[in-house]
Amino acid sequence: MAMVDATEVDHLAAERAAAQFDVEEMKVAWAGSRHAVEIADRMARLVASDPVFRKDTRTMLSRKDLFKDTLRKAAHAWKRIVELRLTEEEANLLRLYVDQPGYVDLHWGMFVPAIKGQGTEEQQQKWLPLAYKFQIIGCYAQTELGHGSNVQGLETTAMFDPKTDEFVIHSPTLTSSKWWPGGLGKASTHAVVYARLITEGKDYGIHGFIVQLRSLEDHSPLPGVTLGDIGGKFGSGAYNSMDNGVLRFDHVRIPRDQMLMRFVYCTILLCYATIIICYNPPQT
C-alpha cells in the first residue's frame, strides 16, 4: 500500500464543499484582505513542505533534544528567510507557522519592538542592525519572581551615578530576580531590562535599559550577571522548547545612553544635567 504524504491530505475538504457560503471570500473577510490570505497560504505551504519543520515526534523528545530541535528549526527558518528574501511580514508568518516556541520569539516579538518603540533614533540606529543580523540575541526582562506582570511592583533598580555618567543595575532582593523571560536561559546575549530609575535617592518609576548579559566571544555571563535556565515546565511539549530563564544583577554598570530614552520626561533629563554640573562644575 502506497504511503500518502500528510501534507497532501485535506481533511476539511468535505466540510468546505458542504458550506452554504463562499469559503474563499470568508477567508478574505477573516484575514482582512486577499493579500493577507495569499501570503498566509504561501508561508503555510512553505513550512508544511519542509521536512526540517516536522513536529510529529516533538512530544517524544527529551527536553534537551527538544531544545536542540528548536535551535535547528530557528536556524533553518532564518536561512530560508534570507535565501528567499522574505519580507518582514512573510518572515513573521513563517516563524508563526513553525509553531515551536523558541528564543527567536522574544528576540523578534519583544526585544526588537521595545527598541523600536522606546529607543531614540540614535539608539535604533545602533542596536537594530545588530539585532536584525543576529549579531546580538535579545530577550525581554520584565517579569520578576515576586511580581509577575505587576510592573509597578518591580524591584530591580537602576541607580544613576553622575560621577561616571552610568547606571548601576542591581537586584536588591531574591524576589527582584527576573524570572521566566524566554530566550534568557541559554541563548540571549542582551536584554531590555525594566528597572526602577533612582537618581539622588528619588524613584522615577520603571524605565527600560539595554543590558549586555553574555560575552560575544565565548557566550559566558559577564561580571555581576547571574543567569540560567529555570528548568522544565508542565506539559508534554508545552514551553519546554523555550529556554525560560532567571537573571540577577550585582551592581552591573552600563553607559547612560543604554537607557531607552524616546519618552523620557524633560524634567528627568534636566535633573541629570543639574547633577552632572554639580559634580563637575565648569573650570574657571
Side-chain angles (χ1 to χ4, degrees):
M1 181 177 177
M3 294 293 292
V4 177
D5 186 345
T7 61
E8 298 296 327
V9 178
D10 186 350
H11 297 284
L12 297 178
E15 295 298 327
R16 292 192 182 98
Q20 298 181 9
F21 54 86
D22 190 319
V23 174
E24 294 304 313
E25 290 304 315
M26 177 59 75
K27 286 183 183 179
V28 174
W30 177 79
S33 69
R34 196 168 299 279
H35 167 78
V37 172
E38 291 171 352
I39 290 181
D41 184 65
R42 183 153 35 87
M43 292 302 103
R45 291 179 183 277
L46 180 61
V47 171
S49 63
D50 194 322
V52 176
F53 295 133
R54 289 184 61 168
K55 56 186 179 182
D56 48 319
T57 62
R58 185 166 69 181
T59 57
M60 295 175 277
L61 296 176
S62 66
R63 183 161 187 262
K64 183 176 182 179
D65 288 337
L66 179 59
F67 184 69
K68 288 182 178 179
D69 182 63
T70 306
L71 292 178
R72 183 165 53 250
K73 284 182 168 66
H76 186 66
W78 181 247
K79 179 182 178 182
R80 298 300 288 149
I81 289 167
V82 172
E83 289 176 343
L84 299 173
R85 298 184 179 182
L86 300 184
T87 65
E88 187 170 347
E89 181 183 15
E90 293 168 332
N92 287 338
L93 279 173
L94 184 144
R95 286 190 290 264
L96 174 66
Y97 291 146
V98 171
D99 187 32
Q100 191 155 312
Y103 72 92
V104 293
D105 297 355
L106 275 294
H107 178 85
W108 293 116
M110 300 294 281
F111 181 74
V112 168
I115 296 173
K116 279 184 174 181
Q118 299 173 38
T120 63
E121 289 187 12
E122 293 79 7
Q123 289 173 324
Q124 292 180 33
Q125 290 170 5
K126 176 180 178 179
W127 295 101
L128 290 180
L130 298 174
Y132 283 143
K133 296 176 183 177
F134 269 117
Q135 293 175 333
I136 62 174
I137 299 171
C139 67
Y140 185 85
Q142 173 183 292
T143 301
E144 293 180 357
L145 183 61
H147 304 286
S149 295
N150 173 21
V151 178
Q152 289 302 312
L154 299 182
E155 295 180 86
T156 302
T157 57
M159 187 83 69
F160 182 61
D161 183 351
K163 295 180 181 179
T164 61
D165 202 26
E166 295 174 315
F167 289 105
V168 182
I169 311 297
H170 184 58
S171 306
T173 64
L174 177 62
T175 49
S176 69
S177 304
K178 296 299 182 182
W179 184 269
W180 196 259
L184 171 63
K186 294 182 174 69
S188 295
T189 62
H190 289 69
V192 169
V193 176
Y194 287 87
R196 312 198 73 85
L197 171 62
I198 310 294
T199 301
E200 289 289 279
K202 185 173 182 180
D203 187 335
Y204 285 91
I206 306 301
H207 290 72
F209 302 83
I210 300 173
V211 184
Q212 183 172 349
L213 307 176
R214 290 180 168 98
S215 166
L216 298 181
E217 299 297 325
D218 61 9
H219 207 61
S220 61
L222 295 183
V225 176
T226 301
L227 75 172
D229 196 300
I230 66 174
K233 279 77 70 174
F234 284 114
S236 180
Y239 252 67
N240 284 310
S241 56
M242 177 74 82
D243 55 326
N244 300 92
V246 58
L247 169 65
R248 289 182 58 78
F249 298 103
D250 184 4
H251 299 93
V252 174
R253 289 178 172 270
I254 62 171
R256 180 168 59 88
D257 63 6
Q258 287 181 211
M259 173 185 178
L260 295 175
M261 296 185 177
R262 185 173 183 179
F263 299 111
V264 172
Y265 294 112
C266 293
T267 52
I268 297 179
L269 293 178
L270 179 60
C271 181
Y272 289 161
T274 303
I275 293 170
I276 291 171
I277 291 172
C278 289
Y279 276 90
N280 302 280
Q283 299 299 314
T284 58

